[in-house]
Amino acid sequence: MSTEVITPPAEGTQDAPWHHLDRRMLLIRPVLDLVKSLPVLLGALLFGHGEPWQWIGLVFTAIAVFTGVSHVLTSRYRITESQVEWRTGLLQRKHRAVPRDRIRTVDVTSEPKHRLFSLAAARIGTGRHSHGKGPGKDELVLDAVTIAEAQRLRTLLLHRKAEAAAGESAAAPPEQLIAAVDKRWLRYAPFTLSGLAVVGAAVGTVYHFAHELHFDPIQFSLVQAVVGHFAETPAWVSVVLAAVGLLVLVSLLSVGGYVLSFWNFRLTREPAGTLHVRRGLITTRSVSIEEDRLRGAEIREPLPLRLAGGARCVAVAAG
């Protein structure tokens, strides 16, 4: 009497198994949705002046939390021989499929909310850009998978090798290092003036809220002391001090932003014909792109960077 052995369907075949998002995201998603709903909830409780408004705030918060939890519980994905499929939804179901031969990039991002449980978000794209907010029709975002699973997806979708399709280990293949971050590059960060945008945004936000709330910052004793000091100082000295202070603040913010964005930066070439970029301190990001898509490189030399002997190198890619 022979016993028939049932072999489960292999990854990358037409009958490939479905995978769920990591359930540990259920410990994070409700908290994030609750934080996002706090303005509505607090507004209803503090300014509603009536029981109906308070109930509306509570219902809105409950719906937001329920939607986030149902998304994690109902989302499934699989990789067949010809496409990547994704399904989600409890009340309103969605089913999206992207042909594998159109996939050009796999972006793996691990934000602080993911790093608590060694998770990541895998963004699978075709290189097309959609107008409007959110992922386009040709892009899939798997918001809660393990880092090992994200790297396995990257290998399976971009390398397109038989051993990857058969479920080979997610260990990264040998890579050729092209460029790595150099600590000496920090001296160029102040000349990018990226901190100037942060200062402008912060000043604009504070001014907007102060105007909306009819609040006068001069009421603070510290602000009064600073204004009084500048009023008693010659105009040219005040201008110089303000310029130096702004320059120092912008430089510090620029250096901080550079460290956060490009910490542990590495650009490598993989044998399968893809370029792999890793970078980030708090939020880590890993981007893979097919080398065949590259059409050239552009060197940009803004005036401040050029004066410091630095430049930007931007890859030009098709799609």
Side-chain angles (χ1 to χ4, degrees), residues 247-316:
L247 182 61
V248 171
L249 178 61
V250 168
S251 299
L252 291 176
L253 290 175
S254 298
V255 172
Y258 184 89
V259 171
L260 291 176
S261 298
F262 294 100
W263 184 263
N264 285 335
F265 173 87
R266 286 174 60 87
L267 172 62
T268 57
R269 176 185 288 112
E270 298 174 327
T274 57
L275 295 177
H276 190 198
V277 177
R278 305 181 187 90
R279 63 183 179 89
L281 179 60
I282 297 178
T283 297
T284 60
R285 189 176 182 185
S286 172
V287 181
S288 297
I289 183 173
E290 290 182 327
E291 195 167 4
D292 291 341
R293 287 187 58 206
L294 292 182
R295 295 296 179 266
E298 178 183 355
I299 304 297
R300 300 177 182 175
E301 297 181 82
L303 180 59
L305 266 181
R306 186 165 70 248
L307 294 176
R312 299 175 184 267
C313 181
V314 182
V316 179

Side-chain angles (χ1 to χ4, degrees), residues 205-238:
T205 301
V206 172
Y207 175 80
H208 173 74
F209 278 102
H211 178 73
E212 291 294 326
L213 298 175
H214 304 286
F215 176 75
D216 186 6
I218 301 298
Q219 296 177 358
F220 282 103
S221 58
L222 179 60
V223 177
Q224 292 177 356
V226 173
V227 172
H229 173 74
F230 276 99
E232 298 173 357
T233 305
W236 68 272
V237 176
S238 300

Side-chain angles (χ1 to χ4, degrees), residues 102-247:
R102 293 179 59 188
I103 293 175
R104 297 293 180 266
T105 61
V106 177
D107 185 347
V108 180
T109 305
S110 185
E111 300 178 6
K113 64 180 181 181
H114 297 119
R115 298 180 70 177
L116 287 173
F117 299 100
S118 298
L119 301 178
R123 186 181 300 271
I124 303 169
T126 62
R128 294 180 58 185
H129 297 280
S130 61
H131 299 285
K133 299 178 180 179
K137 293 182 179 180
D138 293 327
E139 183 179 69
L140 297 179
V141 180
L142 307 177
D143 189 41
V145 296
T146 63
I147 295 179
E149 172 67 4
Q151 297 300 336
R152 187 188 72 86
L153 292 174
R154 183 180 69 84
T155 301
L156 181 61
L157 295 175
L158 291 183
H159 293 182
R160 297 188 178 95
K161 290 189 175 182
E163 61 268 25
E168 188 192 17
S169 171
E175 298 176 325
Q176 175 188 355
L177 180 64
I178 298 177
V181 69
D182 190 330
K183 295 180 180 179
R184 292 175 295 180
W185 295 350
L186 278 175
R187 67 177 183 268
Y188 300 120
F191 297 94
T192 63
L193 300 183
S194 58
L196 189 60
V198 177
V199 173
V203 172
T205 301
V206 172
Y207 175 80
H208 173 74
F209 278 102
H211 178 73
E212 291 294 326
L213 298 175
H214 304 286
F215 176 75
D216 186 6
I218 301 298
Q219 296 177 358
F220 282 103
S221 58
L222 179 60
V223 177
Q224 292 177 356
V226 173
V227 172
H229 173 74
F230 276 99
E232 298 173 357
T233 305
W236 68 272
V237 176
S238 300
V239 172
V240 171
L241 291 177
V244 171
L246 179 62
L247 182 61

